Amino acid sequence: MALWRAAGLFLALVLYGLLSVPAPAEIRPAEAAIGALLVLGVGLLRPLCVATGQTLLERGSPPWEMPAALALAVLLWCPLMRGVWLDWAPGNMVRDVVPLLNL
């Protein structure tokens, strides 16, 4: 399993470096492939827990994880909610979120 994860992360980084646009106007096949490889490399449950704030409620997390989860929450949700408030097109909001999620 660790070999699959490492291969997924490696391929995601290679594709991101070679094919992806840092701020895409929409999700293209390259960004979709990078996202799929990141899910293969990292998994899906833990990133969802971090993005939704569930990790902030868990006990026994490493001390660095709470500030990192809070920073991600601010960087992810504030621009998304601002975009919704200002009635931005979904493509404009995706352009801001995709590079953050890749990081």
Side-chain angles (χ1 to χ4, degrees):
M1 187 62 160
L3 184 60
W4 281 105
R5 288 180 180 244
L9 283 176
F10 174 77
L11 290 173
L13 291 174
V14 168
L15 282 178
Y16 185 71
L18 294 176
L19 302 175
S20 185
V21 177
E26 70 259 348
I27 295 181
R28 301 173 306 150
E31 283 79 25
I34 292 165
L37 290 168
L38 286 173
V39 168
L40 174 67
V42 177
L44 188 59
L45 184 59
R46 190 65 179 165
L48 284 176
C49 287
V50 172
T52 60
Q54 179 66 31
T55 56
L56 299 174
L57 302 175
E58 295 175 357
R59 298 196 187 277
S61 296
W64 58 267
E65 196 169 75
M66 183 176 287
L70 287 171
L72 178 71
V74 169
L75 292 171
L76 176 65
W77 293 107
C78 288
L80 279 177
M81 292 301 103
R82 181 174 182 257
V84 169
W85 181 264
L86 295 175
D87 199 28
W88 287 356
N92 290 338
M93 290 186 284
V94 167
R95 184 187 62 233
D96 293 339
V97 170
V98 167
L100 176 66
L101 295 179
N102 284 342
L103 289 173

